[in-house]
Amino acid sequence: MKKLFLRAEVCKKASGQITVFMALCFLVFLGLYLVCLQSVQTQYRKKQAEQAVEAGMFSLFSEFEPHLMKQYDLFCLDTSFGGGRERMDELSSHLWQFVENNAAADGLSVQGTDIRSVVRVTDGFGAAVFRQGVEIMKEKTGASLAEDWLLQDLFMESSDENTRRFQEDCENYEGTVRDYEDEDEDDEEEDGEDRSLGPEARQWDGLWNDFTLEKAVPGDYQISEKSAVLENMPSHRELSIGMGLSAGTENQPIQKQWFISYLCEYMKHAQEMLPEARTEGYLDYQLEYIIFGKGSDQENLSGVTGKLLLVREGMNYAFLLTHPEFREKAELLALVLAGMTGNESVIKSLEQLILLGWAYGESLTEIRQLLLGYELAAVKTEEDWQVPLSGLLSALSDPGGYDTQAVMQRGISYEACLRIFLMLESAETLSMRAVDIMEGEVSRTDGCADLHLDHCVDYLTAQVWIEDLYLERSYGYE
């Protein structure tokens, strides 16, 4: 049997060599496995830490200022927490707590947090407000924008030229009646003839200078007496400054149109507020403030109505000059009032004064109708003319006689006129004056008296230390 199962002595040496080789290989693969395992664990911990930071940042930004959100759909983070004094340490503490709550579930411990590189709502002339307003209106509507542009183009077509011509003719013809009377007194002393003009002729000279805000506002309405201190507004005071990286206040027509739509959606104007005057709250004529920028409702409304009156006067004056039947009536009246002088230049001057006064009377009626909620035709026709020459002077002494349109017009509303004036302002002016209104209005709310929008943040960068990991994340409202 032993001969059948012979064993070579070298078998023991071969077996020992294979065991050592396998052991060395095993140690190498075991070391590699442990390194990979540690790397996986590190990456897993890092991923858990990143998720905790992301959740913490989301939770921090969910503490947006509720009153601005409720009134203006504006997202921002108040770093003063309603206290009027900025507290970045408190903001950092909130972030620490939110990250800690999420990290603790994974067995991680937060070592520290820090807030860096904030972008404030007022940075870049209110760029964050401008950007958010544009995004809000893009989500809400879009079809009406082209329609608004069309009406504005019709309304403003050649208006600058017409207004310039009206102003020039006012300067050229104003005083011609008085100057003639002064010359006539000297001539009368020499030849003893009386060629003076009567009081009916004199009252047409400078008629348009009698405009006051009270004449433009319908009699049953009470003009707001509210005012604000400009030096306390964000657009005038010294502000806290952040990174200012938030883009948005580009002077592109389409962007401005979106933002103007936002202003018209969320801000009040005189046509809305005159029938329902508020006893509390901030400025009532808010769109008028954004256009004119004065500290009182009366100043802003007076400035806007005066500006609108001038535009309408130019359009109505151009209309009278291009319609022979209207000019004939003015010429006949001038001949009746000044024909006795025999002075052709005086008669022509008085004719122009009558046309200028007639355009003013029609325009004053239109302003009152706009404030009452009526619309005006974008392109005026003979049927749309409302004030007859025979009743003009009585209408100016009692402007309420034509407050109701005999023929209903469709086209340009008071808000559409405000849109046109808003479009003439820069994007920076629009956004910063909007910030003024927002801060002033919200500060009248209980518990928000110390709210400052330059303490409100739209975007920030946070640094977080979780055990041996360092993470930096930027977050903002989109």
Side-chain angles (χ1 to χ4, degrees):
M1 294 291 291
K2 290 183 179 180
K3 293 180 179 182
L4 295 176
F5 301 97
L6 297 176
R7 292 188 299 174
E9 293 187 9
V10 294
C11 291
K12 293 182 179 180
K13 296 180 181 180
S15 177
Q17 291 173 351
I18 294 174
T19 302
V20 171
F21 176 76
M22 292 299 296
L24 291 175
C25 291
F26 177 75
L27 290 175
V28 172
F29 283 110
L30 179 61
L32 181 61
Y33 171 77
L34 292 176
V35 170
C36 293
L37 180 62
Q38 185 177 9
S39 177
V40 170
Q41 290 177 336
T42 301
Q43 292 299 319
Y44 180 66
R45 287 175 59 251
K46 186 176 181 181
K47 189 65 176 180
Q48 289 178 318
E50 290 176 348
Q51 291 176 346
V53 172
E54 291 288 341
M57 293 286 283
F58 182 83
S59 299
L60 180 67
F61 273 77
S62 68
E63 292 188 319
F64 52 81
E65 213 293 317
H67 302 91
L68 287 169
M69 175 60 187
K70 180 179 179 181
Q71 295 189 43
Y72 301 105
D73 285 340
L74 181 66
F75 285 99
C76 63
L77 189 61
D78 183 12
T79 59
S80 70
F81 299 92
R85 183 175 61 85
E86 198 167 46
R87 295 183 293 170
M88 285 297 181
D89 55 342
E90 182 70 16
L91 188 66
S92 181
S93 177
H94 281 222
L95 177 60
W96 186 323
Q97 186 62 48
F98 290 134
V99 176
E100 181 71 31
N101 291 339
N102 290 281
D106 298 320
L108 301 175
S109 176
V110 179
Q111 304 299 319
T113 59
D114 191 21
I115 301 297
R116 307 293 295 272
S117 306
V118 298
V119 175
R120 304 172 190 275
V121 167
T122 52
D123 285 351
F125 299 98
V129 174
F130 191 95
R131 175 180 53 79
Q132 290 196 34
V134 169
E135 293 301 324
I136 288 169
M137 295 314 297
K138 282 183 178 179
E139 293 178 1
K140 282 193 171 184
T141 181
S144 62
L145 198 59
E147 180 181 351
D148 293 337
W149 272 357
L150 179 61
L151 291 176
Q152 291 173 26
D153 289 341
L154 290 173
F155 181 76
M156 292 300 293
E157 185 178 2
S158 302
S159 64
D160 291 340
E161 177 63 25
N162 293 335
T163 299
R164 183 190 60 80
R165 184 174 182 180
F166 176 83
Q167 290 178 303
E168 289 180 352
D169 285 352
C170 285
E171 295 175 0
N172 293 334
Y173 292 106
E174 185 175 6
T176 53
V177 171
R178 293 189 295 271
D179 292 342
Y180 174 79
E181 288 185 332
D182 293 339
E183 295 175 0
D184 185 66
E185 289 178 0
D186 297 335
D187 295 339
E188 185 179 342
E189 293 177 358
E190 295 178 0
D191 55 25
E193 296 182 7
D194 184 7
R195 298 189 299 274
S196 63
L197 296 170
E200 295 83 1
R202 290 195 298 271
Q203 63 187 341
W204 291 97
D205 200 343
L207 186 66
W208 52 89
N209 291 324
D210 294 333
F211 172 74
T212 60
L213 178 60
E214 288 71 21
K215 289 185 176 181
V217 176
D220 295 337
Y221 290 164
Q222 184 69 33
I223 302 175
S224 170
E225 297 182 355
K226 293 178 181 177
S227 62
V229 180
L230 292 176
E231 289 72 18
N232 294 336
M233 294 181 174
S235 61
H236 289 76
R237 70 170 186 257
E238 185 176 353
L239 302 173
S240 299
I241 300 175
M243 287 177 57
L245 297 179
S246 182
T249 51
E250 299 87 357
N251 268 304
Q252 298 177 1
I254 184 64
Q255 300 296 327
K256 286 176 65 175
Q257 281 286 351
W258 284 120
F259 189 67
I260 289 170
S261 296
Y262 171 80
L263 295 177
C264 293
E265 179 79 13
Y266 290 87
M267 303 289 178
K268 304 174 178 62
H269 56 73
Q271 193 267 315
E272 295 175 329
M273 300 306 297
L274 281 170
E276 303 176 1
R278 300 185 301 172
T279 56
E280 299 178 354
Y282 200 51
L283 298 176
D284 280 352
Y285 313 147
Q286 297 174 355
L287 289 181
E288 286 81 356
Y289 166 77
I290 295 176
I291 295 169
F292 219 65
K294 297 298 183 180
S296 69
D297 277 335
Q298 291 190 12
E299 287 180 296
N300 291 318
L301 182 57
S302 178
V304 169
T305 52
K307 191 174 183 178
L308 182 56
L309 179 69
L310 188 59
V311 172
R312 295 303 302 180
E313 283 174 331
M315 297 178 69
N316 289 328
Y317 182 56
F319 175 86
L320 290 173
L321 292 177
T322 55
H323 284 72
E325 60 274 19
F326 287 89
R327 294 201 63 175
E328 289 176 2
K329 293 179 181 180
E331 183 181 2
L332 179 60
L333 180 58
L335 188 61
V336 170
L337 297 178
M340 66 184 69
T341 65
N343 190 323
E344 186 68 21
S345 63
V346 173
I347 296 174
K348 288 296 182 182
S349 296
L350 183 56
E351 177 187 343
Q352 292 300 319
L353 290 173
I354 292 172
L355 291 173
L356 291 167
W358 199 359
Y360 161 71
E362 178 75 9
S363 303
L364 182 61
T365 296
E366 292 175 336
I367 303 302
R368 292 173 64 91
Q369 291 177 351
L370 286 173
L371 291 174
L372 285 166
Y374 289 98
E375 295 182 2
L376 301 178
V379 179
K380 204 174 188 70
T381 64
E382 295 182 17
E383 290 75 17
D384 298 323
W385 195 271
Q386 302 176 80
V387 181
L389 183 58
S390 59
L392 176 59
L393 295 179
S394 60
L396 293 177
S397 61
D398 181 20
Y402 293 91
D403 283 350
T404 302
Q405 288 185 351
V407 178
M408 295 295 293
Q409 302 179 33
R410 289 289 181 268
I412 300 295
S413 65
Y414 180 73
E415 183 176 302
C417 296
L418 295 182
R419 282 177 173 268
I420 296 169
F421 295 149
L422 288 167
M423 195 64 188
L424 300 177
E425 302 294 332
S426 67
E428 291 83 359
T429 299
L430 295 177
S431 55
M432 281 307 297
R433 288 180 180 172
V435 168
D436 292 343
I437 294 295
M438 291 175 179
E439 182 177 290
E441 194 70 31
V442 173
S443 65
R444 298 301 191 273
T445 307
D446 292 340
C448 297
D450 297 322
L451 177 68
H452 293 160
L453 260 68
D454 56 322
H455 294 164
C456 294
V457 171
D458 173 68
Y459 178 94
L460 61 81
T461 298
Q463 297 173 322
V464 182
W465 290 265
I466 299 180
E467 296 181 354
D468 58 342
L469 298 173
Y470 166 76
L471 298 99
E472 183 174 297
R473 291 292 182 272
S474 297
Y475 211 87
Y477 294 109
E478 296 294 337

Short mmCIF file of all heavy atoms in Angstrom, two decimals, residues 91-126:
data_model
loop_
_atom_site.label_atom_id
_atom_site.label_comp_id
_atom_site.label_asym_id
_atom_site.label_seq_id
_atom_site.Cartn_x
_atom_site.Cartn_y
_atom_site.Cartn_z
N LEU A 91 -29.32 85.73 12.94
CA LEU A 91 -29.59 84.99 11.69
C LEU A 91 -28.70 83.76 11.60
O LEU A 91 -29.16 82.67 11.23
CB LEU A 91 -29.34 85.92 10.49
CG LEU A 91 -29.75 85.38 9.12
CD1 LEU A 91 -31.25 85.21 9.03
CD2 LEU A 91 -29.25 86.32 8.02
N SER A 92 -27.44 83.91 11.98
CA SER A 92 -26.52 82.77 11.98
C SER A 92 -26.95 81.72 12.99
O SER A 92 -26.83 80.52 12.74
CB SER A 92 -25.10 83.26 12.28
OG SER A 92 -24.19 82.18 12.28
N SER A 93 -27.46 82.18 14.14
CA SER A 93 -27.94 81.24 15.16
C SER A 93 -29.13 80.43 14.67
O SER A 93 -29.25 79.23 14.94
CB SER A 93 -28.32 82.01 16.44
OG SER A 93 -28.84 81.14 17.42
N HIS A 94 -30.02 81.09 13.93
CA HIS A 94 -31.17 80.38 13.35
C HIS A 94 -30.69 79.31 12.37
O HIS A 94 -31.20 78.18 12.37
CB HIS A 94 -32.09 81.36 12.64
CG HIS A 94 -32.98 82.12 13.57
ND1 HIS A 94 -34.31 82.36 13.31
CD2 HIS A 94 -32.74 82.69 14.78
CE1 HIS A 94 -34.86 83.06 14.30
NE2 HIS A 94 -33.91 83.28 15.20
N LEU A 95 -29.72 79.67 11.55
CA LEU A 95 -29.19 78.70 10.59
C LEU A 95 -28.55 77.52 11.33
O LEU A 95 -28.73 76.36 10.94
CB LEU A 95 -28.17 79.38 9.68
CG LEU A 95 -27.47 78.47 8.67
CD1 LEU A 95 -28.48 77.81 7.73
CD2 LEU A 95 -26.43 79.24 7.87
N TRP A 96 -27.80 77.80 12.39
CA TRP A 96 -27.17 76.74 13.19
C TRP A 96 -28.22 75.76 13.70
O TRP A 96 -28.07 74.54 13.60
CB TRP A 96 -26.41 77.37 14.35
CG TRP A 96 -25.60 76.39 15.17
CD1 TRP A 96 -25.92 75.10 15.50
CD2 TRP A 96 -24.32 76.63 15.75
NE1 TRP A 96 -24.95 74.53 16.26
CE2 TRP A 96 -23.95 75.44 16.43
CE3 TRP A 96 -23.46 77.72 15.79
CZ2 TRP A 96 -22.76 75.32 17.13
CZ3 TRP A 96 -22.27 77.60 16.49
CH2 TRP A 96 -21.92 76.42 17.14
N GLN A 97 -29.31 76.31 14.24
CA GLN A 97 -30.36 75.46 14.81
C GLN A 97 -31.02 74.60 13.74
O GLN A 97 -31.26 73.40 13.95
CB GLN A 97 -31.40 76.33 15.50
CG GLN A 97 -32.47 75.56 16.26
CD GLN A 97 -31.87 74.75 17.39
OE1 GLN A 97 -31.08 75.25 18.19
NE2 GLN A 97 -32.24 73.47 17.48
N PHE A 98 -31.29 75.20 12.58
CA PHE A 98 -31.93 74.43 11.51
C PHE A 98 -31.01 73.32 11.00
O PHE A 98 -31.45 72.18 10.78
CB PHE A 98 -32.32 75.36 10.35
CG PHE A 98 -33.45 76.29 10.67
CD1 PHE A 98 -33.37 77.63 10.33
CD2 PHE A 98 -34.60 75.83 11.30
CE1 PHE A 98 -34.42 78.51 10.62
CE2 PHE A 98 -35.65 76.70 11.60
CZ PHE A 98 -35.55 78.04 11.27
N VAL A 99 -29.73 73.62 10.81
CA VAL A 99 -28.78 72.61 10.34
C VAL A 99 -28.58 71.53 11.40
O VAL A 99 -28.52 70.33 11.09
CB VAL A 99 -27.44 73.26 9.96
CG1 VAL A 99 -26.43 72.19 9.56
CG2 VAL A 99 -27.63 74.25 8.82
N GLU A 100 -28.51 71.92 12.65
CA GLU A 100 -28.32 70.97 13.75
C GLU A 100 -29.48 69.99 13.82
O GLU A 100 -29.29 68.78 14.04
CB GLU A 100 -28.19 71.73 15.07
CG GLU A 100 -27.98 70.86 16.29
CD GLU A 100 -26.60 70.23 16.32
OE1 GLU A 100 -25.64 70.85 15.79
OE2 GLU A 100 -26.49 69.11 16.86
N ASN A 101 -30.70 70.48 13.66
CA ASN A 101 -31.87 69.60 13.72
C ASN A 101 -31.83 68.54 12.63
O ASN A 101 -32.25 67.40 12.85
CB ASN A 101 -33.16 70.42 13.59
CG ASN A 101 -33.39 71.30 14.80
OD1 ASN A 101 -32.86 71.04 15.88
ND2 ASN A 101 -34.20 72.35 14.64
N ASN A 102 -31.34 68.92 11.44
CA ASN A 102 -31.27 67.96 10.34
C ASN A 102 -30.04 67.05 10.46
O ASN A 102 -30.10 65.88 10.09
CB ASN A 102 -31.24 68.72 9.01
CG ASN A 102 -32.56 69.38 8.67
OD1 ASN A 102 -33.50 68.75 8.21
ND2 ASN A 102 -32.65 70.68 8.92
N ALA A 103 -28.93 67.59 10.97
CA ALA A 103 -27.71 66.79 11.06
C ALA A 103 -27.78 65.78 12.20
O ALA A 103 -27.17 64.70 12.11
CB ALA A 103 -26.50 67.71 11.25
N ALA A 104 -28.48 66.11 13.27
CA ALA A 104 -28.55 65.22 14.43
C ALA A 104 -29.16 63.88 14.07
O ALA A 104 -28.80 62.84 14.65
CB ALA A 104 -29.34 65.88 15.55
N ALA A 105 -30.09 63.88 13.14
CA ALA A 105 -30.73 62.62 12.74
C ALA A 105 -29.73 61.66 12.12
O ALA A 105 -29.94 60.43 12.14
CB ALA A 105 -31.87 62.90 11.78
N ASP A 106 -28.65 62.17 11.57
CA ASP A 106 -27.62 61.34 10.95
C ASP A 106 -26.40 61.17 11.86
O ASP A 106 -25.36 60.68 11.41
CB ASP A 106 -27.19 61.96 9.63
CG ASP A 106 -28.34 62.03 8.63
OD1 ASP A 106 -29.11 61.07 8.57
OD2 ASP A 106 -28.45 63.06 7.93
N GLY A 107 -26.52 61.62 13.09
CA GLY A 107 -25.42 61.47 14.03
C GLY A 107 -24.29 62.45 13.82
O GLY A 107 -23.16 62.21 14.27
N LEU A 108 -24.55 63.58 13.15
CA LEU A 108 -23.53 64.59 12.91
C LEU A 108 -23.70 65.75 13.88
O LEU A 108 -24.80 66.03 14.35
CB LEU A 108 -23.61 65.09 11.47
CG LEU A 108 -23.43 64.03 10.37
CD1 LEU A 108 -23.66 64.65 9.00
CD2 LEU A 108 -22.05 63.41 10.45
N SER A 109 -22.64 66.45 14.13
CA SER A 109 -22.66 67.57 15.07
C SER A 109 -22.14 68.82 14.38
O SER A 109 -21.08 68.82 13.74
CB SER A 109 -21.79 67.26 16.30
OG SER A 109 -21.74 68.38 17.16
N VAL A 110 -22.89 69.92 14.50
CA VAL A 110 -22.51 71.20 13.89
C VAL A 110 -21.52 71.91 14.80
O VAL A 110 -21.77 72.08 16.00
CB VAL A 110 -23.75 72.08 13.64
CG1 VAL A 110 -23.35 73.41 13.02
CG2 VAL A 110 -24.75 71.36 12.75
N GLN A 111 -20.41 72.35 14.23
CA GLN A 111 -19.38 73.04 15.00
C GLN A 111 -19.48 74.56 14.89
O GLN A 111 -19.01 75.27 15.78
CB GLN A 111 -18.00 72.58 14.51
CG GLN A 111 -17.79 71.08 14.57
CD GLN A 111 -17.90 70.55 15.99
OE1 GLN A 111 -17.41 71.16 16.93
NE2 GLN A 111 -18.54 69.39 16.13
N GLY A 112 -20.11 75.06 13.83
CA GLY A 112 -20.23 76.52 13.70
C GLY A 112 -20.87 76.92 12.38
O GLY A 112 -20.89 76.15 11.42
N THR A 113 -21.41 78.14 12.35
CA THR A 113 -22.00 78.71 11.13
C THR A 113 -21.63 80.19 11.04
O THR A 113 -21.36 80.84 12.05
CB THR A 113 -23.54 78.58 11.12
OG1 THR A 113 -24.09 79.25 12.27
CG2 THR A 113 -23.97 77.13 11.13
N ASP A 114 -21.66 80.70 9.83
CA ASP A 114 -21.37 82.12 9.61
C ASP A 114 -22.09 82.57 8.35
O ASP A 114 -22.18 81.83 7.37
CB ASP A 114 -19.87 82.35 9.48
CG ASP A 114 -19.52 83.84 9.52
OD1 ASP A 114 -20.34 84.62 10.03
OD2 ASP A 114 -18.44 84.20 9.02
N ILE A 115 -22.63 83.80 8.39
CA ILE A 115 -23.34 84.38 7.24
C ILE A 115 -22.41 85.37 6.55
O ILE A 115 -21.87 86.28 7.17
CB ILE A 115 -24.63 85.09 7.68
CG1 ILE A 115 -25.56 84.12 8.40
CG2 ILE A 115 -25.32 85.73 6.48
CD1 ILE A 115 -26.06 83.00 7.55
N ARG A 116 -22.24 85.18 5.24
CA ARG A 116 -21.36 86.05 4.47
C ARG A 116 -22.06 86.48 3.18
O ARG A 116 -22.98 85.84 2.71
CB ARG A 116 -20.06 85.31 4.11
CG ARG A 116 -19.34 84.70 5.29
CD ARG A 116 -18.78 85.75 6.24
NE ARG A 116 -17.75 86.54 5.61
CZ ARG A 116 -16.46 86.20 5.59
NH1 ARG A 116 -16.06 85.07 6.17
NH2 ARG A 116 -15.57 86.99 5.01
N SER A 117 -21.61 87.60 2.63
CA SER A 117 -21.99 88.01 1.27
C SER A 117 -23.50 88.10 1.07
O SER A 117 -24.07 87.38 0.26
CB SER A 117 -21.39 87.04 0.24
OG SER A 117 -20.00 86.92 0.41
N VAL A 118 -24.17 88.99 1.82
CA VAL A 118 -25.61 89.15 1.67
C VAL A 118 -25.92 90.14 0.54
O VAL A 118 -25.16 91.08 0.29
CB VAL A 118 -26.25 89.63 2.98
CG1 VAL A 118 -26.05 88.61 4.09
CG2 VAL A 118 -25.72 90.99 3.40
N VAL A 119 -27.01 89.90 -0.16
CA VAL A 119 -27.54 90.83 -1.16
C VAL A 119 -28.85 91.38 -0.62
O VAL A 119 -29.80 90.63 -0.40
CB VAL A 119 -27.77 90.13 -2.51
CG1 VAL A 119 -28.43 91.09 -3.49
CG2 VAL A 119 -26.46 89.63 -3.08
N ARG A 120 -28.88 92.68 -0.39
CA ARG A 120 -30.06 93.30 0.22
C ARG A 120 -31.08 93.70 -0.85
O ARG A 120 -30.75 93.87 -2.03
CB ARG A 120 -29.64 94.53 1.03
CG ARG A 120 -28.58 94.21 2.09
CD ARG A 120 -28.04 95.48 2.74
NE ARG A 120 -26.89 95.16 3.57
CZ ARG A 120 -26.96 94.75 4.83
NH1 ARG A 120 -28.15 94.59 5.39
NH2 ARG A 120 -25.87 94.49 5.53
N VAL A 121 -32.30 93.88 -0.41
CA VAL A 121 -33.38 94.26 -1.32
C VAL A 121 -33.09 95.60 -1.98
O VAL A 121 -33.46 95.84 -3.14
CB VAL A 121 -34.72 94.29 -0.55
CG1 VAL A 121 -35.80 94.98 -1.35
CG2 VAL A 121 -35.15 92.88 -0.19
N THR A 122 -32.42 96.50 -1.27
CA THR A 122 -32.16 97.83 -1.79
C THR A 122 -30.88 97.92 -2.61
O THR A 122 -30.59 98.98 -3.18
CB THR A 122 -32.08 98.84 -0.63
OG1 THR A 122 -31.14 98.36 0.35
CG2 THR A 122 -33.44 99.00 0.03
N ASP A 123 -30.08 96.86 -2.66
CA ASP A 123 -28.84 96.88 -3.45
C ASP A 123 -29.16 97.05 -4.94
O ASP A 123 -30.18 96.55 -5.44
CB ASP A 123 -28.05 95.59 -3.25
CG ASP A 123 -27.35 95.55 -1.90
OD1 ASP A 123 -27.33 96.59 -1.21
OD2 ASP A 123 -26.84 94.49 -1.53
N GLY A 124 -28.27 97.75 -5.63
CA GLY A 124 -28.47 97.92 -7.07
C GLY A 124 -29.73 98.67 -7.41
O GLY A 124 -30.42 98.36 -8.39
N PHE A 125 -30.07 99.69 -6.58
CA PHE A 125 -31.28 100.50 -6.78
C PHE A 125 -32.55 99.62 -6.79
O PHE A 125 -33.41 99.75 -7.66
CB PHE A 125 -31.20 101.31 -8.08
CG PHE A 125 -30.06 102.28 -8.11
CD1 PHE A 125 -28.88 101.95 -8.76
CD2 PHE A 125 -30.14 103.51 -7.49
CE1 PHE A 125 -27.81 102.83 -8.79
CE2 PHE A 125 -29.08 104.40 -7.52
CZ PHE A 125 -27.91 104.06 -8.17
N GLY A 126 -32.64 98.73 -5.81
CA GLY A 126 -33.84 97.91 -5.70
C GLY A 126 -33.95 96.82 -6.75
O GLY A 126 -35.05 96.46 -7.17
#
